[in-house]
Amino acid sequence: MDQVQSSNDRAVITPSKDIVANTVQDLRAELFEVIQSGEKHVVVDLQHVEIVDSTGLGVLISAQNSVQEQGGGLTVINVSDDILRLFKIMRLDQHFVVQAREAS
Amino acid sequence: MKDFIVSQHDNSITLAFASSFAHVDQAIATLLAFLGDRGVTVKAFDMNLILREGLNNAVEHGNGCDLSRSVQCAMEVKQDNVHITIEDEGEGFDWQHRDVGAIDARSERGKGLLLMQAYGFLVTYNSKGNIMNLYKALV
């Protein structure tokens, strides 16, 4: 079960599993709901996520495109080294704000 | 057919499964375990990601997520590379005239083939376009 917290124009969604084709519908619905409710600043916390496939990348890009139209932006935090490399290869770190996971 | 069939040999493994994304997850776990058991040194994240792209593509675009259509996947470990074949039962596509294009961070689709190339996988197709071959060099 993903966690969704919302306060002061800022929503934080923490997916409980990887963001891949088999599971991405949950995150897509959660993002749609918070963006539809008018949240300008959406944070996706990847602390439990070890892989994002191209379907998952599409959902994050779609969220950024939508929230940007509302004058806000998407921030993705707690990003693993492997996912950070993926975001950089696809230049997504230039499209939304990305924060790496701190070394444990 | 059964929903998920595995046939394993010394240096190769073949899978056949009904076209669902849940089976893609199962296929990837099986294939990564096969490589791990043989001590093949590939980066697990990279192999996971690229297998996922190829298998998702076969399930969704090849077979239209039709559970009555199967995806066949074979993996063979050779001396200097891993060779993966992914076959769907779809109509294929005109890969010869497909433009992989540049990376567009704003575009929500069409990133699978870009990822395969960016992660160092060689990609070829049969003439019909329903069989993809992926080669990853072992270093």
Side-chain angles (χ1 to χ4, degrees):
Chain A
M1 187 77 182
D2 298 351
Q3 191 178 3
V4 183
Q5 290 181 318
S6 204
S7 63
N8 299 330
D9 262 1
R10 183 174 184 268
V12 181
I13 300 175
T14 307
S16 61
K17 48 193 175 292
D18 291 337
I19 306 174
V20 296
N22 189 35
T23 59
V24 77
Q25 296 302 338
D26 291 349
L27 179 62
R28 180 182 281 129
E30 288 154 3
L31 283 165
F32 181 79
E33 192 170 319
V34 297
I35 292 167
Q36 284 292 103
S37 74
E39 299 283 5
K40 286 190 174 177
H41 302 288
V42 177
V43 178
V44 178
D45 184 340
L46 299 190
Q47 60 177 297
H48 304 303
V49 176
E50 297 307 326
I51 192 160
V52 180
D53 68 8
S54 67
T55 311
L57 294 179
V59 168
L60 294 175
I61 293 164
S62 174
Q64 163 62 9
N65 291 345
S66 298
V67 83
Q68 197 171 32
E69 286 175 9
Q70 298 180 177
L74 175 73
T75 301
V76 184
I77 64 172
N78 282 321
V79 178
S80 73
D81 289 347
D82 285 327
I83 296 174
L84 185 61
R85 179 166 146 251
L86 169 63
F87 284 171
K88 287 183 174 175
I89 286 171
M90 302 311 286
R91 299 182 186 162
L92 296 179
D93 57 325
Q94 298 170 24
H95 191 46
F96 46 72
V97 178
V98 176
Q99 293 176 8
R101 193 179 292 175
E102 285 185 21
S104 54
Chain B
M1 63 171 274
K2 287 184 183 174
D3 277 356
F4 195 92
I5 298 169
V6 181
S7 174
Q8 200 161 310
H9 306 281
D10 286 348
N11 292 314
S12 66
I13 183 169
T14 59
L15 310 176
F17 57 88
S19 300
S20 77
F21 293 130
H23 284 137
V24 169
D25 286 352
Q26 190 178 350
I28 288 166
T30 304
L31 293 167
L32 291 178
F34 168 80
L35 289 174
D37 288 346
R38 278 146 190 82
V40 176
T41 51
V42 291
K43 195 162 164 32
F45 179 91
D46 297 6
M47 185 58 79
N48 184 337
L49 179 69
I50 300 310
L51 285 172
R52 209 170 270 287
E53 295 304 325
L55 294 171
N56 283 346
N57 194 62
V59 165
E60 184 177 7
H61 301 297
N63 287 345
C65 296
D66 179 348
L67 286 169
S68 72
R69 289 179 162 186
S70 70
V71 173
Q72 315 271 340
C73 177
M75 174 182 273
E76 185 177 8
V77 178
K78 299 180 179 176
Q79 194 165 4
D80 58 356
N81 70 69
V82 177
H83 174 203
I84 301 137
T85 304
I86 299 172
E87 178 174 359
D88 61 61
E89 297 183 15
E91 302 306 315
F93 76 104
D94 186 11
W95 56 271
Q96 285 147 320
H97 295 97
R98 178 170 172 166
D99 181 12
V100 176
I103 293 173
D104 176 4
R106 288 186 61 84
S107 171
E108 295 160 28
R109 296 196 65 85
K111 296 188 184 304
L113 199 52
L114 273 170
L115 284 173
M116 291 171 185
Q117 295 178 347
Y119 278 84
F121 284 70
L122 174 65
V123 186
T124 68
Y125 296 94
N126 67 335
S127 57
K128 182 180 172 185
N130 71 321
I131 302 176
M132 169 185 275
N133 289 284
L134 291 164
Y135 301 88
K136 177 65 174 176
L138 297 173
V139 289

